Amino acid sequence: MHLKTFVPYSLAFALSAIFVLRASRAPTDSEGVPRTFRRMLRALACLLLLVLASTWFYKLNGGLHAVHVSVAVVTVCFESAMSVWLVVAILRDRSDWLVLCCQLAGFALAAGTFAGWIHVLFVAQLIASAAFGVLLVRAGQRLDAEVGT
């Protein structure tokens, strides 16, 4: 990792993981969907920390590079699968399906970049991450409203 990007990149991933973990500790005794949502948030936080940790050393050798790429691919796949689950299990509104399509389009662009067909990784990450963030916030708000009633 380049020294000039080390601090902002590290802060972004570390703070994202911390905030996701904090969200996973929302007080509720509910079973089912809220419990699954909390578990998914914890898994996401762990994946974000693994991406961060693997980033620090991936240029040292080919094995560490493979670990970093593998962790990043698993994270992107997890976010896409979680996005589908959020829309199917919690959100279900037409606008959320549109956001899901954007997230999956970002995933497809990332997959195409990984396969070497196109080279738009930054755009793919921006689209997929922004859409995933919207779905996370909307799902959290929906669950909070349902538990609060």
Side-chain angles (χ1 to χ4, degrees):
M1 178 184 302
H2 297 289
L3 193 54
K4 65 182 176 182
T5 60
F6 177 81
V7 172
Y9 187 90
S10 296
L11 280 173
F13 270 85
L15 289 173
S16 292
I18 289 167
F19 292 138
V20 168
L21 273 176
R22 287 197 61 188
S24 76
R25 294 173 177 235
T28 177
D29 295 328
S30 300
E31 297 293 321
V33 170
R35 174 184 251 175
T36 302
F37 184 60
R38 288 193 313 271
R39 287 179 177 166
M40 290 178 127
L41 289 175
R42 289 182 191 124
L44 175 63
C46 290
L47 287 170
L48 292 172
L49 290 174
L50 284 172
V51 169
L52 176 59
S54 68
T55 299
W56 294 333
F57 306 106
Y58 82 97
K59 289 194 176 186
L60 294 178
N61 64 48
L64 292 174
H65 184 266
V67 168
H68 174 66
V69 170
S70 298
V71 169
V73 167
V74 168
T75 302
V76 169
C77 291
F78 180 84
E79 289 177 353
S80 295
M82 187 173 176
S83 294
V84 171
W85 181 82
L86 291 171
V87 172
V88 170
I90 300 171
L91 297 169
R92 298 185 206 99
D93 293 337
R94 284 185 185 171
S95 61
D96 297 314
W97 283 97
L98 179 61
V99 176
L100 175 62
C101 289
C102 291
Q103 199 284 332
L104 294 175
F107 174 78
L109 289 172
T113 298
F114 185 75
W117 301 331
I118 54 177
H119 301 287
V120 291
L121 185 58
F122 179 76
V123 172
Q125 289 173 319
L126 183 63
I127 293 169
S129 296
F132 181 62
V134 168
L135 293 173
L136 274 178
V137 169
R138 287 184 178 179
Q141 289 171 334
R142 174 78 49 88
L143 287 175
D144 189 46
E146 289 175 4
V147 170
T149 56

